[in-house]
Amino acid sequence: MTKRLSTIGRLLYGIAIGDALGNLSKRNTAAALKASNDLDDSDFDFVWTPTTGLTLAIVRAISLGYSRVNVMHNFAEWWRNGQFSMTNSLQTDRFETEIQSIINFELTRDLDSIGATEPAQNDENVLIRVMPIAFYETARIGSSFINDEKSMGSIHDMVSLTNDYPSAMMSAGMVSFLISQIIARESVHQSLENAIAITYEYYSRRSIFQPDLINFAPMNMPDLPDLQADQLVHDGSATHTLENACWVLFSTENLNDAIKLAVKTFSKQRQTILAFICAIYALSDRSSLDERWIEQIDKKAETNLILRIANRSNRFHVRTD
């Protein structure tokens, strides 16, 4: 029997599944895509990374009392106690920026100065963490939240907890616009086009962001889908990872083809790209997630717990549910 997920559930499971697929070797990812492959008897572990863990932390914070303080408390639980980890293990490598922000928070409690102020390596993770925040703002106000300065300020403030600089905020802003368009039932390709146009329009009218707008120029070009794989930059930065994810989505028509293209094209740190495209397709099409993948995520009881909390909070209720 196929598990019926709420709209926020499809987003969270899409993130976790894509993250876990990206955490596998190319061979094992290919095996996980085969309908005949029984993942219960597989010779690999289907495990998400802290990209998903920190996103679950944000969902829990939004559900139980949305504030920047609560977000940081949940981040601290992830780092110190292994909460939101699929294996209950502590995080010891990568995510240095996030960990430093947690340390700064525990030392100073100054929410306005704990994030990195210069572009950090591997800041691509903000692209995933902002998704439930954008979902919440869309559920609260509607897809027109771009016209609400308080709403956009809230998104930027949340990003600034770890990445306090314009390019990260702008990347997160574009993802937020994309999520709102998908929830409004636009097609994936139309949602991308709308989000790119909205991003340029919104940030071009705000002087603090104007110098960084040039970094988004490739995404605003009509020939983005025609770029060759070797023309893409994959350095873990939010702007380039966003560009790469858009390229994959523009170049494909369904989730399986998108996964195959991403795995073929990106050899390292592809978790974020796969988490991104799986989340978008899962949000767009409730039938896109393989039941076997959902069963793998369900092995971690906390996933269902956080989803129940999110559903009962009524903070993620949208008309598509």
Side-chain angles (χ1 to χ4, degrees), residues 44-99:
F44 54 84
D45 293 324
F46 201 80
V47 179
W48 68 61
T49 75
T51 295
T52 296
L54 286 166
T55 304
L56 293 175
I58 286 179
V59 172
R60 186 175 185 275
I62 292 175
S63 301
L64 297 179
Y66 189 37
S67 70
R68 292 200 292 168
V69 170
N70 283 349
V71 168
M72 291 309 301
H73 281 311
N74 279 273
F75 279 8
E77 285 296 309
W78 159 79
W79 179 49
R80 293 200 176 278
N81 300 323
Q83 192 170 353
F84 314 111
S85 165
M86 197 167 186
T87 59
N88 297 320
S89 59
L90 301 184
Q91 177 61 35
T92 57
D93 59 353
R94 290 188 65 213
F95 296 83
E96 293 89 351
T97 301
E98 290 82 355
I99 291 173

Side-chain angles (χ1 to χ4, degrees), residues 2-177:
T2 302
K3 179 173 182 175
R4 180 174 174 81
L5 294 168
S6 62
T7 310
I8 184 61
R10 297 205 309 272
L11 177 70
L12 294 183
Y13 273 69
I15 290 170
I17 288 167
D19 189 21
L21 287 172
N23 201 28
L24 300 175
S25 67
K26 284 189 176 182
R27 177 186 67 82
N28 288 333
T29 302
L33 292 176
K34 294 179 180 178
S36 59
N37 187 58
D38 186 351
L39 296 184
D40 286 335
D41 295 327
S42 64
D43 62 349
F44 54 84
D45 293 324
F46 201 80
V47 179
W48 68 61
T49 75
T51 295
T52 296
L54 286 166
T55 304
L56 293 175
I58 286 179
V59 172
R60 186 175 185 275
I62 292 175
S63 301
L64 297 179
Y66 189 37
S67 70
R68 292 200 292 168
V69 170
N70 283 349
V71 168
M72 291 309 301
H73 281 311
N74 279 273
F75 279 8
E77 285 296 309
W78 159 79
W79 179 49
R80 293 200 176 278
N81 300 323
Q83 192 170 353
F84 314 111
S85 165
M86 197 167 186
T87 59
N88 297 320
S89 59
L90 301 184
Q91 177 61 35
T92 57
D93 59 353
R94 290 188 65 213
F95 296 83
E96 293 89 351
T97 301
E98 290 82 355
I99 291 173
Q100 186 59 56
S101 295
I102 295 167
I103 294 172
N104 292 344
F105 169 71
E106 293 182 338
L107 289 175
T108 70
R109 302 286 166 167
D110 183 358
L111 294 169
D112 294 324
S113 64
I114 60 176
T117 55
E118 296 292 334
Q121 289 185 333
N122 300 319
D123 63 352
E124 61 185 2
N125 304 295
V126 300
L127 304 176
I128 306 302
R129 293 202 297 273
V130 76
M131 287 183 171
I133 301 173
F135 194 112
Y136 164 71
E137 293 295 345
T138 304
R140 189 173 68 89
I141 296 178
S143 58
S144 62
F145 71 80
I146 182 177
N147 298 317
D148 187 300
E149 286 299 326
K150 185 177 180 180
S151 180
M152 287 301 298
S154 175
I155 291 172
H156 293 151
D157 285 346
M158 284 297 171
V159 174
S160 74
L161 291 174
T162 54
N163 305 87
D164 193 7
Y165 45 88
S167 62
M169 296 180 192
M170 294 166 72
S171 297
M174 180 173 166
V175 175
S176 299
F177 305 147

Side-chain angles (χ1 to χ4, degrees), residues 10-11 14-15 17-19 21 128 131 178 182 188 192 241-250 252 254-263 266 270-285 288-289:
R10 297 205 309 272
L11 177 70
I15 290 170
I17 288 167
D19 189 21
L21 287 172
I128 306 302
M131 287 183 171
L178 176 59
I182 293 289
V188 171
L192 284 167
T241 298
L242 180 56
E243 179 183 332
N244 296 342
C246 290
W247 176 79
V248 171
L249 291 172
F250 270 129
T252 55
N254 59 69
L255 178 56
N256 266 24
D257 287 347
I259 293 173
K260 290 175 182 177
L261 179 60
V263 171
F266 307 109
R270 56 181 179 271
Q271 293 100 322
T272 305
I273 293 176
L274 285 174
F276 191 104
I277 62 178
C278 284
I280 295 301
Y281 270 113
L283 201 55
S284 176
D285 178 10
S288 62
L289 295 180

Side-chain angles (χ1 to χ4, degrees), residues 156-311:
H156 293 151
D157 285 346
M158 284 297 171
V159 174
S160 74
L161 291 174
T162 54
N163 305 87
D164 193 7
Y165 45 88
S167 62
M169 296 180 192
M170 294 166 72
S171 297
M174 180 173 166
V175 175
S176 299
F177 305 147
L178 176 59
I179 292 294
S180 73
Q181 294 298 295
I182 293 289
I183 292 176
R185 298 190 177 186
E186 296 285 358
S187 69
V188 171
H189 288 185
Q190 187 61 55
S191 295
L192 284 167
E193 292 178 2
N194 292 348
I196 291 169
I198 293 170
T199 298
Y200 260 73
E201 172 66 19
Y202 179 85
Y203 289 114
S204 66
R205 290 186 279 110
R206 288 155 178 82
S207 59
I208 188 174
F209 296 110
Q210 288 172 355
D212 288 87
L213 202 58
I214 192 172
N215 296 326
F216 295 82
M219 281 179 276
N220 201 35
M221 301 295 288
D223 61 348
L224 175 62
D226 299 324
L227 291 178
Q228 298 300 308
D230 59 5
Q231 294 177 278
L232 301 171
V233 178
H234 190 214
D235 58 3
S237 69
T239 50
H240 286 140
T241 298
L242 180 56
E243 179 183 332
N244 296 342
C246 290
W247 176 79
V248 171
L249 291 172
F250 270 129
S251 303
T252 55
E253 298 291 341
N254 59 69
L255 178 56
N256 266 24
D257 287 347
I259 293 173
K260 290 175 182 177
L261 179 60
V263 171
K264 176 183 176 182
T265 305
F266 307 109
S267 60
K268 296 180 179 179
Q269 295 182 15
R270 56 181 179 271
Q271 293 100 322
T272 305
I273 293 176
L274 285 174
F276 191 104
I277 62 178
C278 284
I280 295 301
Y281 270 113
L283 201 55
S284 176
D285 178 10
R286 68 173 63 247
S287 65
S288 62
L289 295 180
D290 190 310
E291 182 67 17
R292 299 167 310 128
W293 300 344
I294 293 175
E295 290 173 355
Q296 293 295 310
I297 300 303
D298 276 343
K299 288 182 177 180
K300 176 66 174 178
E302 191 166 20
T303 316
N304 276 306
L305 174 61
I306 291 174
L307 183 55
R308 283 198 300 272
I309 293 172
N311 288 334

